[in-house]
Amino acid sequence: DAMVIQNPRYQVTQFGKPVTLSCSQTLNHNVMYWYQQKSSQAPKLLFHYYDKDFNNEADTPDNFQSRRPNTSFCFLDIRSPGLGDAAMYLCATSRDPGNEQFFGPGTRLTVL
Amino acid sequence: RKEVEQDPGPFNVPEGATVAFNCTYSNSASQSFFWYRQDCRKEPKLLMSVYSSGNEDGRFTAQLNRASQYISLLIRDSKLSDSATYLCVVNLGNDMRFGAGTRLTVKP
């Protein structure tokens, strides 16, 4: 089945220790998104790639970076995680901007 | 004013009830609209897209009112399995904006 896969599902890191979350898709979609979602809040868009074009949200901290080495994979790098970065990180894809998005199961990040 | 606003609820309804949610959006140029369902500690899943003419999928009906800048979701004959948070999503070009969601609990 075509799908969006995220690894790991749960990640524990220490304050300030860099961490990388990964997302892959078999849908061959052009757009990949990273969202941060905290408890009882809406998913907050961090950035997205439209093919190779990177689009950063204005209020996404510099601490968050992303890479998309090919169509199938996208990575979220958190350079120096703080306690406030503990959240669920959701990857999503869409065929084109504005189309419905399909989400991966998320990575729950804990910062100690 | 928030870009996308929803009543957070919770809505507690008995099985078989009809329940309706509204979602308002601030940008009149918004282009596409969706309802997602999110279960506790799970990812959002697409419930339905919302078309200008309104659309129906089984017990679910979605409508768009561009003049008043809101979308609605109607659930008929509620089931226990409908208990979830319902997220309204509004798209403007490359920007997808989520509402904070409306929590629904359907009780026996």
Side-chain angles (χ1 to χ4, degrees), chain A residues 8-12 87-89 106-110, chain B residues 41-42:
Chain A
R9 295 291 307 277
Y10 300 90
Q11 175 74 57
V12 179
M88 174 76 92
Y89 289 88
T107 296
R108 185 164 296 280
L109 177 68
T110 300
Chain B
R41 301 178 74 84
K42 300 281 190 180

Side-chain angles (χ1 to χ4, degrees), chain B residues 70-87:
Chain B
Y70 76 84
I71 65 172
S72 64
L73 177 67
L74 181 76
I75 305 175
R76 290 180 298 277
D77 188 23
S78 301
K79 311 291 184 191
L80 296 177
S81 57
D82 293 335
S83 297
T85 296
Y86 290 83
L87 300 167

Side-chain angles (χ1 to χ4, degrees), chain B residues 5-78:
Chain B
E5 287 199 76
Q6 295 183 251
D7 181 345
F11 285 63
N12 298 308
V13 303
E15 266 187 296
T18 295
V19 61
F21 308 134
N22 278 342
C23 167
T24 59
Y25 59 95
S26 60
N27 193 323
S28 60
S30 298
Q31 297 165 337
S32 54
F33 309 87
F34 308 93
W35 282 103
Y36 280 76
R37 170 202 170 119
Q38 187 171 27
D39 293 289
C40 189
R41 301 178 74 84
K42 300 281 190 180
E43 74 275 21
K45 293 189 176 178
L46 180 67
L47 182 63
M48 55 199 307
S49 303
V50 187
Y51 303 122
S52 297
S53 55
N55 46 303
E56 188 174 310
D57 183 1
R59 299 182 292 108
F60 299 86
T61 300
Q63 294 200 316
L64 167 63
N65 185 317
R66 284 192 183 273
S68 300
Q69 295 181 208
Y70 76 84
I71 65 172
S72 64
L73 177 67
L74 181 76
I75 305 175
R76 290 180 298 277
D77 188 23
S78 301

Side-chain angles (χ1 to χ4, degrees), chain A:
Chain A
D1 286 339
M3 56 183 13
V4 183
I5 301 163
Q6 289 188 247
N7 285 303
R9 295 291 307 277
Y10 300 90
Q11 175 74 57
V12 179
T13 190
Q14 291 180 328
F15 183 95
K17 185 174 181 182
V19 66
T20 294
L21 311 182
S22 74
C23 176
S24 62
Q25 54 130 342
T26 61
L27 297 160
N28 204 31
H29 281 173
N30 293 314
V31 192
M32 295 187 78
Y33 306 82
W34 279 104
Y35 289 88
Q36 178 193 66
Q37 187 177 28
K38 297 185 177 181
S39 182
S40 302
Q41 296 183 20
K44 179 182 181 300
L45 182 64
L46 296 173
F47 24 58
H48 74 274
Y49 274 95
Y50 181 16
D51 196 11
K52 295 181 181 178
D53 292 335
F54 177 69
N55 298 271
N56 198 31
E57 291 295 297
D59 57 354
T60 298
D62 291 340
N63 196 26
F64 293 87
Q65 302 287 318
S66 185
R67 297 170 282 135
R68 189 180 185 186
N70 53 53
T71 301
S72 301
F73 284 87
C74 196
F75 299 97
L76 170 62
D77 300 309
I78 309 177
R79 294 195 295 192
S80 182
L83 298 179
D85 296 329
M88 174 76 92
Y89 289 88
L90 294 161
C91 173
T93 74
S94 66
R95 189 181 68 234
D96 290 304
N99 295 144
E100 57 266 31
Q101 295 185 9
F102 297 88
F103 284 82
T107 296
R108 185 164 296 280
L109 177 68
T110 300
V111 182
L112 301 178

